[in-house]
């Protein structure tokens, strides 16, 4: 029960008060991510200097899970190198599939609260939208 309460508190906070949901002038990278099954839609923008993500933001609309997950993701990857961010994205996606180790899940910080979303099939695509978009954006940069 405690984990479920923790999950709801973090999710609600990031959905109601997203730190990274705003326009981002001067972003060098931009990619739209869409979940056609439910209509969630985000545009992810990143500023990268010397291989490090110096700022990031998203805009769009969707359910609380997709919006909160994108916000948590940006909290985690801003300040990281592109390689570190890509690794964290991979860990998140493997966590959702039940394939990440407890040590890897710890690296996800608040985003680890979404670990049980894999048991809610209708919400999986919502939770991974931002992370898939990040992975595609960084892969296209190489």
């Amino acid at each position: 029960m405690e984990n479920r309460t923790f999950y709801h508190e973090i999710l609600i906070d990031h959905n109601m008060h997203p730190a990274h949901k705003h326009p981002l002038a001067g972003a060098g990278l931009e990619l739209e991510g869409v979940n056609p099954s439910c209509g969630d839609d985000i545009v992810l923008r990143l500023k990268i200097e010397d291989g490090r993500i110096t700022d990031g933001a998203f805009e769009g609309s969707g359910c609380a899970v997709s919006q909160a997950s994108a916000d948590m993701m940006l909290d985690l990857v801003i300040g990281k190198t592109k390689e570190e961010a890509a690794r964290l994205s991979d860990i998140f996606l493997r966590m959702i599939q039940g394939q990440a180790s407890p040590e890897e899940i710890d690296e996800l910080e608040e985003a680890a609260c979404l670990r049980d979303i894999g048991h809610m099939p209708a919400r999986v695509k919502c939770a991974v939208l931002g992370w898939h978009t990040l992975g595609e954006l960084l892969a296209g940069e190489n």
Side-chain angles (χ1 to χ4, degrees):
M1 184 65 175
E2 186 178 318
N3 281 347
R4 186 167 274 171
T5 301
F6 180 65
Y7 159 81
H8 285 296
E9 287 174 4
I10 292 173
L11 192 72
I12 289 168
D13 186 51
H14 278 277
N15 186 52
M16 299 297 290
H17 310 287
H20 305 289
K21 188 173 183 178
H22 55 79
L24 183 63
L29 297 176
E30 177 180 313
L31 185 65
E32 181 177 21
V34 178
N35 178 356
S37 63
C38 70
D40 291 347
D41 183 2
I42 68 164
V43 176
L44 179 63
R45 293 181 181 92
L46 299 176
K47 288 184 181 179
I48 297 181
E49 295 175 19
D50 298 323
R52 188 168 297 279
I53 299 169
T54 59
D55 202 0
F58 74 100
E59 293 182 279
S61 61
C63 70
V65 173
S66 72
Q67 303 298 288
S69 183
D71 198 56
M72 286 184 254
M73 174 193 73
L74 285 165
D75 270 354
L76 191 60
V77 302
I78 292 172
K80 302 280 194 290
T81 65
K82 293 187 307 182
E83 294 77 17
E84 290 168 332
R87 181 177 172 278
L88 290 166
S89 178
D90 178 65
I91 291 170
F92 183 86
L93 297 172
R94 288 189 295 108
M95 175 188 74
I96 297 299
Q97 298 168 347
Q99 299 172 354
S101 72
E103 295 78 20
E104 289 174 319
I105 293 170
D106 285 346
E107 292 181 56
L108 297 175
E109 298 175 10
E110 280 188 328
C113 80
L114 296 171
R115 71 171 115 333
D116 293 330
I117 209 99
H119 302 296
M120 298 177 253
R123 291 290 181 215
V124 168
K125 288 183 181 179
C126 305
V128 301
L129 177 61
W131 299 86
H132 272 304
T133 305
L134 173 67
E136 290 176 29
L137 191 56
L138 294 174
E141 177 67 4
N142 294 330

